[in-house]
């Protein structure tokens, strides 16, 4: 378990931790299941930024932008890079090999830029009203953590990998269905207690978005990559933020 914690913290946050002694499929799978707990510091960061902004009476939109920027910095913008690469890859060609090559290049094309702007805009627009209250800021931090449950869904056994190398290759197919269902159940309970029924709407919407993304990349690319994992996180967070506001402002 210590190796899984180190892998999760070292991969998903900027926290400096000793590297795991070995990255086996068991270690990698547990790291994905631990992802929501590993990013607790990032969730707390978003909550603190929101509270500081409210105390200083700063414009909510500006506070939300700072919160999203701080969250990106705290994760090395790894997931944003994945979102951009996936958007470019899926629009570059119908040939899987060509699409994967575009994703590997790391350069952001028009589709990647648009996808990043749209998803970032949704996150900021939804965070702005949440961060104006203490309860809303706490819910926002919880959603940051819960959105990382998308990683376990992408790494389920039976979901193929698109390539044998790359950051995501070590995680593909390492998570069993039952633990993943347990993780999502815990997330559902936490969101229900924190936000009421809109919390469950948020989780259901995120699950649908992740499932749609997986279906698309498996059909177009042949499976998931590390970039797909990152895209799933950012899309999941945007979906959760939208879903939690379906019942009106939180707070």
């Amino acid at each position: 378990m210590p190796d899984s914690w180190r892998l999760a913290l070292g991969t998903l946050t900027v926290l400096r931790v000793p590297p795991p002694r070995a990255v086996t499929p068991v270690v990698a799978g547990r790291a994905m299941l631990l992802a929501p707990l590993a990013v607790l510091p990032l969730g707390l960061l978003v909550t603190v930024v929101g509270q500081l902004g409210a105390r200083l009476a700063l414009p909510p939109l500006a506070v939300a932008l700072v919160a999203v920027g701080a969250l990106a910095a705290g994760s090395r913008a790894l997931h944003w890079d994945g979102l951009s690469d996936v958007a470019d890859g899926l629009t570059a060609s119908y040939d899987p090999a060509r699409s994967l090559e575009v994703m590997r290049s790391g350069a952001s094309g028009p589709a990647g830029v648009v996808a990043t702007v749209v998803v970032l805009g949704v996150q900021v627009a939804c965070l702005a009203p949440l961060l104006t209250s203490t309860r809303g800021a706490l819910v926002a931090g919880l959603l940051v953590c819960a959105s990382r449950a998308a990683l376990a869904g992408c790494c389920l056994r039976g979901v193929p990998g698109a390539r044998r190398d790359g950051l995501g290759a070590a995680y593909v197919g390492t998570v069993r269905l039952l633990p993943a269902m347990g993780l999502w159940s815990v997330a559902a309970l936490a969101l229900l207690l924190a936000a009421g029924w809109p919390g469950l709407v948020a989780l259901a919407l995120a699950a649908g978005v992740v499932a749609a993304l997986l279906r698309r990349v498996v059909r177009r690319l042949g499976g998931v990559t590390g970039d797909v994992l990152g895209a799933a996180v950012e899309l999941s967070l945007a979906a959760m933020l939208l879903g939690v506001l379906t019942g009106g402002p939180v707070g």
Side-chain angles (χ1 to χ4, degrees), residues 5 11 21 41 49 52 94 107 121 137 141 155 171 197 227:
W5 272 111
T11 302
R21 292 166 296 180
V49 168
L52 286 176
Y94 287 105
C155 297
Y171 302 98
W197 289 109
D227 286 328

Side-chain angles (χ1 to χ4, degrees), residues 4-249:
S4 298
W5 272 111
R6 292 171 184 169
L7 183 59
L9 285 168
T11 302
L12 301 175
T13 74
V14 295
L15 297 177
R16 297 176 66 90
V17 295
R21 292 166 296 180
V23 181
T24 65
V26 172
V27 168
R30 288 175 177 171
M32 294 296 92
L33 292 170
L34 291 170
L37 291 178
V39 299
L40 273 173
L42 301 185
L44 180 61
L45 176 63
V46 169
T47 298
V48 170
V49 168
Q51 287 294 278
L52 286 176
R55 287 181 178 274
L56 295 173
L58 296 175
L61 195 60
V63 176
L65 273 168
V66 172
V68 171
L71 183 57
S75 60
R76 304 185 191 88
L78 186 66
H79 309 312
W80 288 111
D81 179 69
L83 175 65
S84 177
D85 287 344
V86 169
D88 283 331
L90 290 177
T91 56
S93 171
Y94 287 105
D95 176 53
R98 171 59 181 160
S99 294
L100 289 171
E101 188 60 33
V102 169
M103 292 167 63
R104 190 193 295 270
S105 71
S108 291
V113 172
V114 171
T116 301
V117 170
V118 170
V119 175
L120 187 147
V122 170
Q123 291 184 6
V124 170
C126 293
L127 272 175
L130 281 175
L131 297 182
T132 57
S133 69
T134 299
R135 183 187 175 197
L138 289 171
V139 169
L142 178 60
L143 290 176
V144 169
C145 298
S147 66
R148 272 55 180 178
L151 294 171
C154 292
C155 297
L156 282 172
R157 292 184 178 179
V159 178
R163 56 166 69 108
R164 295 185 178 182
D165 59 348
L167 180 61
Y171 302 98
V172 173
T174 59
V175 178
R176 290 180 294 175
L177 179 60
L178 191 57
M181 291 177 61
L183 175 62
W184 280 78
S185 297
V186 171
L189 179 59
L191 290 173
L192 177 62
L193 293 175
W197 289 109
L200 295 184
V201 174
L203 194 69
L205 188 57
V209 167
V210 172
L213 173 65
L214 287 177
R215 184 172 183 269
R216 183 66 170 167
V217 298
V218 169
R219 293 182 66 180
R220 282 290 313 279
L221 307 176
V224 299
T225 67
D227 286 328
V228 173
L229 301 186
V233 167
E234 296 301 346
L235 290 171
S236 177
L237 179 56
M240 285 185 174
L241 288 166
L242 276 172
V244 84
L245 293 177
T246 55

